Amino acid sequence: MGRRKKIVQECETLMDKPENIRNIAIAAHVDHGKTTLTDNLLAGAGMIADEGEATKLMMDTEEDEQERGITIDAANVSMTHEYEDTNHLINLIDTPGHVDFGGDVTRAMRAVDGALVVVDAVEGAMPQTETVLRQALREGVKPALFINKVDRLISELQEGPEEMQERLLSVIHDVNELIRGMTEDMDDVEDWTVSVEGGTVAFGSALYKWGVSMPSMQRTGMDFGDIMELERADKRQELHERTPLSNVVLDMVCEHFPNPVDAQPRRIPRIWRGDADSDLAEEMRVVNEDGEVVFMVTDISMDPHAGEIATGRVFSGTLEKGQELYVSGTAGKNRLQSVGLFMGGEREEVEHVPAGNIAAVTGLKDAIAGSTVSSVEMTPFESIEHISEPVITKS
Ligand code: GDP
């Protein structure tokens, strides 16, 4: 079976198993390595080709595009990853990097349950690190930390083991201080902090594609000493092969980020201001795929073939083609023309998308980023001004 077919088949099976889904974002201060890490994860999960295979993948894609009118959308990618003999569907949403897009970052965070925060080992936590952490915690999104560019500490700054350890611990300390400051109002502050022993911190080099965490050290038998030796000897390919970054990070995602069933009971009271005693609240908390439809739109994009695409999180119910749904802040209903999922970097139409997934749909002509779309009238996730929007985007 071709790679694409296999991905599609795996994603279609996994979308019906919320326990196996992880909805995540990667967030970072500019230049700390978000893009390089994302490419790594996609290549590691077999979603984009490694060097040498690029041409083949491109041809695959072109053929498919002609056949089915699909498009690559780098902002949303899904990948599958096998962890402890179980296949997982990992939906990765891009968060805009710039501070000015604060509102969009918050919205993207609303769709996910875990945020992988990337911090440059040389620069340490920076203002945007604080901003993205704040946005994640406000949305009840669990953080994990990836300390990037560790190769620079070893090869460029020539740090010894103690110096390096001190520096890495101070990055972790700073990040945890930020987290503690932001979670004072929660009863379970330590649940949100990150730790090496707890497996929620990984280190490595996105550029040279190697990584390490406490669990990975136990699995591969490679410790920091081995890593320093290989990095100093310029044996980066060997380092990558023996402890590949994508495995280290995707294992961490599967093990430590909550699936939708674990996340939604905690998150719904935090992100939705409606009646907590209502049936609808309960349906969202338990990720009821048979409940009323609740779909929070996080992004609208244009597809040259399909037109306007609304991407977002299905918190309850199941999206199906032909459904007539309310769009918050507007009168009347919109009819879903198609329902899709991201598989790899491409949107693929499917019959239905149940609660717990990130869906991409067409037909919601009145929806904008931030709209709550539902089968019953409800308190929206956010109230938005609709007044000028159609003039800007739809004329
Ligand atoms: P983003 O702005 O967070 O998406 O950062 P990028 O992924 O674009 O990386 C910014 C710069 O840092 C680029 O020049 C990368 O090549 C470089 N970079 C990323 N990761 C590493 C790393 O692990 N080690 C080193 N030495 N450079 C890196």
Side-chain angles (χ1 to χ4, degrees):
M1 196 192 302
R3 187 209 320 251
R4 245 202 81 71
K5 267 220 175 91
K6 187 162 171 278
I7 294 170
V8 170
Q9 211 172 64
E10 285 182 355
C11 291
E12 280 197 283
T13 310
L14 288 166
M15 74 170 178
D16 286 316
K17 300 180 179 168
E19 285 83 2
N20 296 13
I21 298 174
R22 301 291 182 277
N23 297 312
I24 69 163
I26 300 183
H29 188 83
V30 64
D31 277 348
H32 280 200
K34 186 175 81 170
T35 312
T36 316
L37 174 64
T38 306
D39 287 351
N40 248 272
L41 300 186
L42 286 170
M47 299 293 159
I48 57 172
D50 286 331
E51 290 104 311
E53 279 190 86
T55 326
K56 188 167 149 250
L57 182 78
M58 218 164 70
M59 283 172 61
D60 271 354
T61 309
E62 276 171 11
E63 250 169 49
D64 281 345
E65 277 218 14
Q66 282 162 8
E67 264 173 40
R68 314 184 234 205
I70 46 171
T71 355
I72 295 205
D73 180 345
N76 302 283
V77 288
S78 302
M79 58 195 106
T80 57
H81 178 67
E82 183 128 339
Y83 174 67
E84 293 193 334
D85 298 328
T86 308
N87 211 6
H88 290 75
L89 174 61
I90 299 172
N91 297 313
L92 173 60
I93 286 215
D94 190 28
T95 54
H98 200 271
V99 185
D100 288 354
F101 296 135
D104 290 346
V105 179
T106 305
R107 218 168 268 140
M109 286 290 181
R110 191 161 301 155
V112 301
D113 305 312
L116 186 59
V117 178
V118 181
V119 176
D120 179 329
V122 180
E123 281 201 344
M126 295 291 280
Q128 259 174 278
T129 314
E130 179 172 354
T131 308
V132 296
L133 272 171
R134 190 179 303 285
Q135 281 154 341
L137 293 165
R138 191 189 294 146
E139 299 294 324
V141 169
K142 191 172 158 64
L145 176 64
F146 174 61
I147 306 187
N148 191 29
K149 307 197 188 183
V150 175
D151 61 284
R152 290 191 60 202
L153 303 185
I154 303 168
S155 302
E156 207 178 298
L157 305 181
Q158 298 279 326
E159 290 188 353
E162 273 160 38
E163 207 178 342
M164 196 165 88
Q165 189 180 0
E166 212 169 285
R167 187 196 287 266
L168 296 175
L169 287 176
S170 107
V171 173
I172 299 167
H173 171 84
D174 291 350
V175 166
N176 277 334
E177 280 305 290
L178 290 171
I179 293 174
R180 287 197 187 94
M182 295 165 191
T183 50
E184 276 166 346
D185 61 322
M186 303 190 202
D187 14 315
D188 43 8
V189 176
E190 292 310 318
D191 269 14
W192 301 93
T193 57
V194 296
S195 81
V196 178
E197 301 74 26
T200 45
V201 177
F203 313 88
S205 167
L207 187 59
Y208 299 117
K209 306 175 188 171
W210 57 264
V212 61
S213 66
M214 197 70 124
S216 88
M217 283 191 224
Q218 282 153 5
R219 205 181 48 248
T220 62
M222 297 235 340
D223 62 18
F224 253 106
D226 304 324
I227 286 171
M228 289 178 81
E229 211 170 286
L230 287 170
E231 172 66 39
R232 284 230 169 89
D234 215 2
K235 291 186 175 166
R236 287 162 171 156
Q237 184 58 25
E238 183 180 341
L239 204 43
H240 162 57
E241 281 162 17
R242 287 177 62 183
T243 185
L245 174 61
S246 57
N247 270 2
V248 172
V249 169
L250 293 177
D251 281 358
M252 179 162 86
V253 165
C254 292
E255 174 71 30
H256 294 285
F257 282 151
N259 66 51
V261 182
D262 290 334
Q264 284 187 209
R266 208 175 190 184
R267 293 192 61 216
I268 293 299
R270 205 170 170 80
I271 62 177
W272 186 63
R273 300 272 163 257
D275 179 2
D277 296 324
S278 60
D279 290 344
L280 194 61
E282 178 63 8
E283 285 170 1
M284 287 196 275
R285 282 192 297 264
V286 302
V287 197
N288 184 355
E289 61 177 47
D290 300 319
E292 298 291 349
V293 171
V294 180
F295 176 57
M296 157 86 208
V297 178
T298 53
D299 183 46
I300 302 274
S301 58
M302 276 306 288
D303 180 300
H305 304 286
E308 215 165 73
I309 298 187
T311 302
R313 168 78 172 252
V314 190
F315 283 107
S316 164
T318 296
L319 292 173
E320 281 166 29
K321 186 179 168 176
Q323 275 170 338
E324 303 265 349
L325 300 171
Y326 291 100
V327 177
S328 61
T330 67
K333 292 178 172 180
N334 285 175
R335 186 184 167 82
L336 283 189
Q337 276 164 6
S338 76
V339 175
L341 268 188
F342 287 97
M343 302 184 189
E346 295 152 1
R347 192 178 60 93
E348 192 76 39
E349 288 186 13
V350 289
E351 290 295 311
H352 69 280
V353 178
N357 283 282
I358 309 274
V361 305
T362 59
L364 297 178
K365 59 183 174 36
D366 296 327
I368 57 172
S371 295
T372 302
V373 176
S374 51
S375 53
V376 281
E377 286 187 273
M378 64 179 283
T379 307
F381 279 81
E382 53 184 288
S383 48
I384 344 168
E385 284 289 335
H386 268 258
I387 301 154
S388 61
E389 192 69 18
V391 181
I392 298 166
T393 58
K394 314 235 169 108
S395 59

